Amino acid sequence: MSLEDHPTVRRARAAAKLPVDAQPLSAEWLKALARKHGADDVGLVEVGRAELADQLSYIRQVYPQTRALLAFVVRMNREPVRSQVRSVANQEFHAVYDEVNETARAIVRALDEAGVPACNAVAAFPMEVQLPGRGWMVAHKPVAVAAGLGRIGVHRSVIHPKFGSFVLLGTVLIGAEADAYDQPIDYNPCLGCKLCVAACPVGALKPDGGFDFVTCYTHNYREFLGNFSDFVGAVVESKDMKTYRERFSDGETTSMWQSLSFKPGYKAAYCIAVCPAGEDVINPFLEDRPGYMERVLKPLTDKRETLYVLPGSDAEKYAADRFPHKPLKRVRRTLRTTSVNSFLAQVPLAFQRGRAKGLAAVYHWTFTGQEEAKATIRIENQKIVVQAGHRGEAQVKVTADAKTWIDIMNREYGLLTAIVLRKVRVKGEMALFRAFGRCFPG
């Protein structure tokens, strides 16, 4: 029997639909389909949109045939998110993340039945965390912004014009064109009220709009993958339970077990909880601001809870001054450096503005050995810029064997030993080199 005579082939030929290239898909039909399956709002973006150019390679890894992106939001219930009881707030996050994934999967199934190829991206976890570089493939935030579903607020989350910050994001990658696409909204729903700044227990959000990534990562994501390695380290390094309990209390061990068993828990998503932006959210804030702050903000700022900080970080000083009733626990830096590129990418994320006060210097870095690279790091006015190559005149020049430097960053090799053995060579003012190190905690 020839292939063409096989019953499966004959049935497929008879039932063949028009190829999806024949005509663009109706944008209104796509949006109605998404809403039918659980989306509270939806937008469409062509894959060639300039705002997504830096995301394209990641999108192609998930689904190479992508020609359009369907972005959607699913609402969260506000009051559970605002609860100071973390189990209540985390359950709402996790339940809605499940809804997002279920909605995306249902959309893909419906598109498949209509003869349209599509693939759903993952909302939140699990991600490709075992890979070097970033663990997520499809970044939902820039897609949602490009699709007109909101703008990024001071808290670095998407604020929907109607539902405010109480949304979670999903994306469906479609292997066909649509007949119309959406554009970003022409204003930012963020009110600039800075309640998210006031609520952050570790000062990761700054009044001028700045963001301290490593501070947020250290506390809020304490029981997620990166900081899980600190727990593993405590287990491996402890000679007995007494030694282990010097690092982890019984409560912390139980909390870690709970996160491993039931999904990881956020320590403080307070920036979302207190946000009054969005047409459906704003009225109580407008009608009685003191009452809103008393009811929504104060329970979170008054709550007695352990705050996790890196030794010598801006967060350590901020939390002690701003929230003296919240106990501090110093923990290890858990961002591992896997390459020279990852070191250079981590530098702006770990930079501590407060520790850099008064410092103005240019550093030229030259890496040799298994990775060869040159970079310029400029610190001025409590800001940091990392550039490829050597730019301008440098006050400090550092030449380092790449593998040795990576080991130093991961606390597997001593800096002083590396300097003595000339695996790291520093030319220029050593005081400025030491000042550079003080800008990065832990």
Side-chain angles (χ1 to χ4, degrees):
M1 180 188 297
S2 69
L3 178 64
E4 290 299 322
D5 289 334
H6 193 284
T8 302
V9 176
R10 291 170 61 185
R11 293 190 185 102
R13 298 291 192 205
K17 299 179 175 68
L18 289 174
V20 293
D21 287 345
Q23 58 185 11
L25 301 172
S26 164
E28 289 306 311
W29 175 75
L30 287 168
K31 291 180 179 181
L33 184 71
R35 290 191 173 94
K36 175 183 175 182
H37 290 287
D40 287 306
D41 198 7
V42 59
L44 288 162
V45 188
E46 68 274 29
V47 76
R49 185 75 64 88
E51 299 97 302
L52 302 180
D54 60 341
Q55 304 296 325
L56 187 57
S57 64
Y58 297 101
I59 293 169
R60 295 290 192 205
Q61 287 182 60
V62 176
Y63 187 52
Q65 292 76 35
T66 301
R67 298 171 68 180
L69 297 96
L70 184 149
F72 66 92
V73 302
V74 176
R75 285 181 291 174
M76 293 187 286
N77 294 323
R78 294 193 291 274
E79 295 308 325
V81 174
R82 289 170 174 162
S83 175
Q84 63 176 300
V85 178
R86 299 316 303 151
S87 60
V88 174
N90 281 315
Q91 172 59 21
E92 183 64 19
F93 276 99
H94 291 313
V96 179
Y97 271 128
D98 287 343
E99 285 187 42
V100 172
N101 284 323
E102 290 164 5
T103 294
R105 185 173 182 276
I107 293 169
V108 169
R109 172 63 63 87
L111 288 173
D112 179 69
E113 291 173 351
V116 180
C119 179
N120 47 301
V122 175
F125 295 89
M127 301 190 303
E128 310 304 309
V129 292
Q130 76 279 9
L131 300 179
R134 80 181 197 182
W136 63 98
M137 292 291 103
V138 177
H140 302 291
K141 290 181 184 180
V143 177
V145 170
L149 297 180
R151 294 273 190 171
I152 302 295
V154 171
H155 55 19
R156 298 309 193 270
S157 289
V158 172
I159 303 178
H160 187 274
K162 181 175 176 62
F163 311 133
S165 295
F166 298 89
V167 294
L168 296 180
L169 313 175
T171 307
V172 173
L173 313 177
I174 303 175
E177 298 281 1
D179 64 5
Y181 295 104
D182 296 285
Q183 297 298 321
I185 59 176
D186 59 4
Y187 73 101
N188 194 331
C190 179
L191 305 173
C193 65
K194 307 295 175 63
L195 286 184
C196 55
V197 177
C200 182
V202 287
L205 299 170
K206 310 299 183 184
D208 63 0
F211 177 58
D212 183 345
F213 169 86
V214 77
T215 287
C216 178
Y217 180 82
T218 299
H219 177 66
N220 192 35
Y221 295 86
R222 173 65 184 163
E223 290 168 8
F224 285 68
L225 177 69
N227 296 293
F228 173 70
S229 63
D230 189 35
F231 167 73
V232 174
V235 173
V236 172
E237 295 169 3
S238 299
K239 61 182 180 180
D240 52 32
M241 281 303 296
K242 181 178 182 297
T243 308
Y244 168 81
R245 284 175 175 146
E246 289 173 356
R247 288 268 299 278
F248 273 76
S249 68
D250 290 346
E252 288 176 304
T253 300
T254 303
S255 184
M256 184 66 73
W257 166 83
Q258 181 172 268
S259 284
L260 292 172
S261 301
F262 298 101
K263 294 182 179 179
Y266 302 95
K267 289 295 183 187
Y270 300 167
C271 54
I272 301 295
V274 302
C275 180
E279 295 167 16
D280 282 0
V281 187
I282 196 172
N283 281 341
F285 175 74
L286 293 179
E287 293 166 1
D288 181 10
R289 294 191 191 186
Y292 182 91
M293 295 176 71
E294 181 73 19
R295 185 177 69 85
V296 178
L297 176 65
K298 194 170 186 295
L300 301 176
T301 55
D302 285 354
K303 180 183 177 181
R304 182 177 173 83
E305 61 187 323
T306 299
L307 304 180
Y308 295 93
V309 298
L310 296 175
S313 63
D314 292 347
E316 184 174 31
K317 183 178 187 307
Y318 174 89
D321 293 343
R322 175 84 168 82
F323 301 108
H325 59 288
K326 296 179 185 275
L328 297 184
K329 181 166 183 177
R330 292 175 138 206
V331 295
R332 295 180 178 182
R333 177 179 62 85
T334 56
L335 279 175
R336 283 189 61 81
T337 302
T338 58
S339 65
V340 168
N341 284 338
S342 73
F343 163 70
L344 295 174
Q346 289 169 7
V347 163
L349 301 179
F351 179 68
Q352 302 291 282
R353 297 182 356 172
R355 305 279 291 180
K357 188 174 183 179
L359 176 61
V362 175
Y363 302 82
H364 282 175
W365 292 79
T366 303
F367 295 97
T368 61
Q370 67 180 25
E371 289 183 79
E372 294 185 357
K374 293 181 179 180
T376 298
I377 300 177
R378 182 186 304 273
I379 299 175
E380 191 173 11
N381 297 325
Q382 295 180 280
K383 296 180 179 179
I384 190 166
V385 176
V386 180
Q387 297 173 297
H390 290 166
R391 311 288 184 93
E393 295 295 322
Q395 285 77 45
V396 179
K397 298 179 180 180
V398 182
T399 301
D401 172 70
K403 184 179 184 308
T404 301
W405 189 256
I406 292 168
D407 289 342
I408 291 169
M409 291 296 98
N410 293 327
R411 299 186 299 274
E412 296 168 357
Y413 201 101
L415 176 59
L416 182 59
T417 301
I419 291 175
V420 170
L421 296 178
R422 296 189 59 77
K423 292 186 175 184
V424 173
R425 301 189 301 277
V426 181
K427 291 185 179 180
E429 298 181 41
M430 286 302 295
L432 289 179
F433 181 64
R434 289 190 292 271
F436 177 88
R438 287 194 294 270
C439 294
F440 305 93

